[in-house]
Amino acid sequence: MTGSVKLIYGDQEFKLPVVEGSEGEKAVDISQLQAATGLITLDPGYANTGSCSSAITFVDGDKGILRYRGIPVEELAARATFKETAYLLINGRLPNREELTRFSVLLNDNSLVHEDMRSFYEKYPRSSHPMGILSSMVNALRSFYPELQNLEEEINMTVTRLLSKIRTMAAMSYKISRGHKVVYPRPDLAYCANFLNMMFDSPVKPYEIDNDVVNALRMFWILHADHEQNCSTSAVRLVGSARVNLYAAISAGIAALWGPLHGGANQAVIEMLSDIAKSRNMGRAIERAKDKKDPFRLMGFGHRVYKTYDPRARIMKKMCDSLLNKLKISDPLLDIAHELEAVALKDDYFIEHNLYPNLDFYSGIVLQAIGIPTNMFTVMFAIGRLPGWIAQWKESLDDPNWKLGRPRQIYTGPTQTQFVPIDKR
Ligand code: CMC
């Protein structure tokens, strides 16, 4: 505790303790507020509410800082593998060589998906969104691989299974949706290359692994790996707080991530840029985004926490330019994105509202260059975010201050009224 806040309510005075995090962030602890005063706090969208203490990820939205377990995301994006990053988030430290080898072996050993699950995929309408399929399939995994006693060893096995199988399931979903033969995981390939091979290899056209593409995917996934208490992570923690199994909690996270204001934004950005390309009217998009009567927003712009340039977007933009250059791809959407960013950053509305490109602004163009179809973009985000969700779920499991998630409300409906039988209504 570092001090307190004085609250005067009626003729009484209360003291609320202030807690401080390791980076100096302060919060008023209101956990005893209702018991002491009868008051609850009201904070729509939890914009001003800390739901937990966490040692996983640090974000400073004013300075544009993001660190996983203390390590700047810039360093991880430049030098770490996605596997190392996942290990770091989940276990709290980087693995040594032996631990990493063991982790890799376990990921390989668990990469196959039960053959019976294929029939689920085949019964889905071909037009189904892959995020809906992924969310259901992750939940279905529990039926194939139940944890029996919730022992630490079993939980660790579930974690490894999920990290490994999510790639296989995502690629399977894509192949089956196209009516193509499923490609099995290859133990000789590393995490990112293995996924790309399962997505794009085919008997008629063997997939050639390109190191620039693998590297782009590695960075893409590292940049998405965690972002503290965002919408989907909060969903994982909230659903997990009922002590459901990990599969069910992750399935809820995937469902939350699907939304266009969250992970679905990467797909929405490409759709917006394509519309601008078709209409050749960027000015109209800018004007619509500023018009309060129009629900349209500039997708890939703005963030609840970052009030400056999103550090992930800065890395993604640079990587996007370099990847397209290396692959000699000339994507007109990239030119539109650059121009739109330049126009928006000079516009008073965007300046006054602190609206900068977020992670999703350039990520869709990167995914397109890799060959990922638009409706799989958010699935790519989900695979990247999985280590973060798992780390947060595990942390909440071990939290000595753990409580079932159960927010309060201020009721605004009718006061007590009588039931009227149907013939008298
Ligand atoms: N275009 C136009 N105006 C915007 C935008 C935008 N993209 N984002 C925020 N605003 C305005 C909003 O209209 C409001 O204006 P006013 O105060 O005049 O009424 C003000 O900025 C604050 O907006 P808010 O919705 O209260 O702020 P928020 O913190 O809830 O919004 C957001 C965060 C991400 C939902 C929002 O910026 C948005 O809708 N962005 C577009 C969708 C998007 O790119 N989402 C991806 C987020 S990053 C990936 C992730 O972590 O999920």
Side-chain angles (χ1 to χ4, degrees), residues 260-263 265 289 292 297-304 307 312 349-350 353 355 358 360 381:
L261 294 188
H262 191 12
K292 289 292 154 216
R297 285 184 165 197
L298 214 56
M299 299 313 284
F301 258 75
H303 198 274
R304 172 66 61 78
K307 299 306 164 201
R312 303 166 301 170
Y349 173 91
F350 291 88
H353 286 78
L355 298 171
N358 60 45
D360 291 315
F381 190 152

Coordinates of all heavy atoms in Angstrom, one line a residue, residues 260-263 265 289 292 297-304 307 312 349-350 353 355 358 360 381, ligand 1:
P260 N -15.2 -6.9 -34.8 CA -14.4 -5.9 -35.7 C -13.8 -4.8 -34.9 O -12.9 -4.1 -35.4 CB -15.5 -5.3 -36.6 CG -16.8 -5.7 -36.0 CD -16.6 -6.9 -35.2
L261 N -14.2 -4.5 -33.7 CA -13.5 -3.5 -32.9 C -12.3 -4.0 -32.2 O -11.5 -3.3 -31.6 CB -14.5 -2.9 -31.8 CG -15.7 -2.1 -32.4 CD1 -16.4 -1.4 -31.2 CD2 -15.3 -1.1 -33.4
H262 N -12.1 -5.3 -32.2 CA -11.0 -6.0 -31.6 C -10.2 -6.7 -32.7 O -9.7 -6.0 -33.6 CB -11.5 -6.9 -30.5 CG -10.6 -7.5 -29.5 ND1 -9.3 -7.0 -29.4 CD2 -10.7 -8.5 -28.6 CE1 -8.7 -7.7 -28.4 NE2 -9.5 -8.6 -28.0
G263 N -10.0 -8.0 -32.6 CA -9.1 -8.7 -33.6 C -9.7 -8.7 -35.0 O -8.9 -8.8 -35.9
A265 N -10.6 -6.3 -36.5 CA -10.2 -5.1 -37.2 C -9.2 -5.3 -38.4 O -9.3 -4.6 -39.4 CB -9.6 -4.1 -36.2
A289 N -15.6 9.1 -41.0 CA -15.0 8.7 -39.7 C -15.2 9.8 -38.7 O -15.3 9.6 -37.5 CB -13.5 8.4 -39.9
K292 N -20.2 12.3 -36.5 CA -20.7 11.6 -35.3 C -22.1 10.9 -35.6 O -22.5 10.0 -34.9 CB -21.0 12.6 -34.1 CG -19.7 13.1 -33.5 CD -18.9 12.0 -32.8 CE -17.4 12.3 -32.8 NZ -16.6 11.2 -32.9
R297 N -16.0 4.1 -38.7 CA -14.8 4.5 -38.0 C -13.6 4.2 -38.9 O -13.8 3.2 -39.7 CB -14.6 3.8 -36.7 CG -15.5 4.4 -35.6 CD -15.3 3.8 -34.3 NE -15.9 4.7 -33.3 CZ -15.6 4.7 -32.0 NH1 -14.8 3.8 -31.5 NH2 -16.2 5.5 -31.2
L298 N -12.6 4.9 -38.8 CA -11.4 4.5 -39.6 C -10.8 3.3 -38.9 O -10.3 3.3 -37.8 CB -10.4 5.7 -39.5 CG -9.5 5.9 -40.8 CD1 -10.4 6.1 -42.0 CD2 -8.6 7.1 -40.6
M299 N -10.9 2.1 -39.6 CA -10.5 0.9 -39.0 C -9.0 0.8 -39.0 O -8.3 1.3 -39.9 CB -11.1 -0.3 -39.8 CG -12.6 -0.4 -39.8 SD -13.4 -0.1 -38.2 CE -13.1 -1.7 -37.4
G300 N -8.5 0.2 -37.9 CA -7.0 0.2 -37.7 C -6.5 1.5 -37.1 O -5.3 1.7 -37.0
F301 N -7.4 2.4 -36.7 CA -7.0 3.6 -36.0 C -7.6 3.7 -34.6 O -8.7 3.3 -34.4 CB -7.5 4.8 -36.8 CG -6.4 5.5 -37.6 CD1 -5.9 4.8 -38.8 CD2 -5.8 6.6 -37.2 CE1 -4.9 5.4 -39.6 CE2 -4.8 7.2 -38.0 CZ -4.3 6.6 -39.2
G302 N -6.8 4.2 -33.7 CA -7.4 4.4 -32.3 C -7.1 3.2 -31.5 O -7.0 2.1 -31.9
H303 N -7.0 3.5 -30.2 CA -6.8 2.4 -29.2 C -7.2 2.9 -27.8 O -7.1 4.0 -27.5 CB -5.3 2.0 -29.2 CG -5.1 0.7 -28.6 ND1 -5.0 0.5 -27.2 CD2 -5.1 -0.6 -29.1 CE1 -4.8 -0.8 -27.0 NE2 -4.9 -1.5 -28.1
R304 N -7.8 2.0 -27.1 CA -8.2 2.3 -25.7 C -7.1 2.8 -24.9 O -7.2 3.7 -24.0 CB -8.9 1.1 -25.1 CG -9.3 1.2 -23.6 CD -10.3 2.3 -23.4 NE -11.6 2.1 -24.0 CZ -12.6 1.3 -23.6 NH1 -12.4 0.6 -22.5 NH2 -13.7 1.2 -24.2
K307 N -2.4 6.3 -26.6 CA -2.7 7.7 -27.0 C -1.6 8.3 -27.8 O -1.5 9.5 -27.9 CB -3.1 8.5 -25.8 CG -4.3 8.0 -25.0 CD -5.6 7.7 -25.9 CE -6.6 6.8 -25.3 NZ -7.5 6.2 -26.3
R312 N 3.6 -1.5 -31.6 CA 3.4 -2.7 -32.5 C 3.2 -2.3 -33.9 O 3.7 -2.9 -34.9 CB 2.3 -3.6 -32.0 CG 2.4 -4.1 -30.5 CD 1.1 -4.6 -30.0 NE 0.0 -3.7 -30.1 CZ -1.3 -4.0 -29.9 NH1 -1.6 -5.2 -29.6 NH2 -2.2 -3.1 -30.0
Y349 N -9.1 16.5 -36.4 CA -9.9 15.5 -35.6 C -9.1 14.4 -35.0 O -9.2 14.1 -33.9 CB -11.0 15.0 -36.5 CG -11.8 13.8 -35.9 CD1 -13.0 14.1 -35.2 CD2 -11.4 12.5 -36.0 CE1 -13.8 13.1 -34.6 CE2 -12.2 11.5 -35.4 CZ -13.3 11.8 -34.7 OH -14.1 10.8 -34.1
F350 N -8.2 13.8 -35.9 CA -7.4 12.7 -35.4 C -6.4 13.1 -34.4 O -6.0 12.4 -33.5 CB -6.8 12.0 -36.6 CG -7.9 11.3 -37.4 CD1 -8.5 11.9 -38.5 CD2 -8.2 9.9 -37.1 CE1 -9.5 11.3 -39.2 CE2 -9.2 9.3 -37.9 CZ -9.9 10.0 -38.9
H353 N -8.2 13.8 -31.1 CA -8.6 12.6 -30.4 C -7.5 11.6 -30.2 O -7.7 10.4 -29.7 CB -9.7 11.9 -31.3 CG -11.0 12.6 -31.2 ND1 -11.3 13.7 -31.9 CD2 -12.1 12.3 -30.6 CE1 -12.5 14.1 -31.7 NE2 -13.1 13.2 -30.9
L355 N -5.7 9.8 -32.2 CA -5.9 8.6 -33.0 C -4.7 8.3 -33.9 O -4.5 9.1 -34.9 CB -7.2 8.7 -33.8 CG -8.5 8.9 -33.0 CD1 -9.7 9.2 -33.8 CD2 -8.8 7.7 -32.1
N358 N -3.1 1.6 -35.3 CA -2.9 0.5 -34.3 C -2.3 -0.7 -35.0 O -2.1 -0.7 -36.2 CB -4.2 0.2 -33.5 CG -5.3 -0.2 -34.3 OD1 -5.1 -1.1 -35.2 ND2 -6.5 0.3 -34.1
D360 N -3.5 -3.3 -36.1 CA -4.2 -3.9 -37.2 C -4.1 -3.1 -38.5 O -4.5 -3.6 -39.6 CB -5.7 -4.0 -36.9 CG -5.9 -5.1 -35.8 OD1 -5.3 -6.1 -35.9 OD2 -6.6 -4.8 -34.8
F381 N -4.5 -13.7 -35.8 CA -4.4 -13.0 -34.6 C -4.6 -13.9 -33.4 O -3.8 -13.9 -32.4 CB -5.4 -11.9 -34.6 CG -5.3 -10.8 -33.5 CD1 -5.8 -9.5 -33.8 CD2 -4.8 -11.1 -32.3 CE1 -5.8 -8.5 -32.8 CE2 -4.8 -10.1 -31.3 CZ -5.3 -8.8 -31.6
Ligands
CMC1 N1 -12.2 6.6 -36.2 C1 -12.9 7.7 -35.9 N2 -13.1 8.1 -34.7 C2 -12.6 7.4 -33.7 C3 -11.9 6.2 -33.9 C4 -11.7 5.8 -35.3 N3 -11.1 4.7 -35.6 N4 -11.6 5.6 -32.7 C5 -12.0 6.4 -31.8 N5 -12.7 7.5 -32.3 C6 -13.3 8.6 -31.6 C7 -14.6 8.3 -31.1 O1 -15.6 8.6 -32.0 C8 -14.7 9.2 -29.9 O2 -14.9 10.5 -30.3 P1 -15.8 11.5 -29.4 O3 -15.0 11.5 -28.1 O4 -15.7 12.8 -30.1 O5 -17.2 11.0 -29.2 C9 -13.3 9.1 -29.4 O6 -12.4 8.9 -30.5 C10 -13.0 8.1 -28.3 O7 -13.5 6.8 -28.8 P2 -14.0 5.6 -27.9 O8 -14.7 4.7 -28.8 O9 -14.6 6.2 -26.7 O10 -12.6 5.1 -27.5 P3 -12.2 3.7 -27.1 O11 -11.0 3.7 -26.3 O12 -13.4 2.9 -26.6 O13 -11.9 3.1 -28.6 C11 -11.4 1.5 -30.2 C12 -11.0 2.1 -28.9 C13 -10.3 0.6 -30.6 C14 -12.7 0.7 -30.0 C15 -11.6 2.6 -31.3 O14 -10.5 3.4 -31.4 C16 -12.1 2.0 -32.6 O15 -13.2 1.7 -32.8 N6 -11.1 1.8 -33.6 C17 -11.4 1.2 -34.8 C18 -11.4 -0.3 -34.7 C19 -10.0 -0.8 -34.5 O16 -9.1 -0.5 -35.2 N7 -9.8 -1.8 -33.6 C20 -8.5 -2.4 -33.3 C21 -8.0 -2.1 -32.0 S1 -6.3 -2.6 -31.8 C22 -6.3 -4.3 -31.8 C23 -6.8 -4.8 -30.5 O17 -6.1 -4.7 -29.5 O18 -7.9 -5.4 -30.5

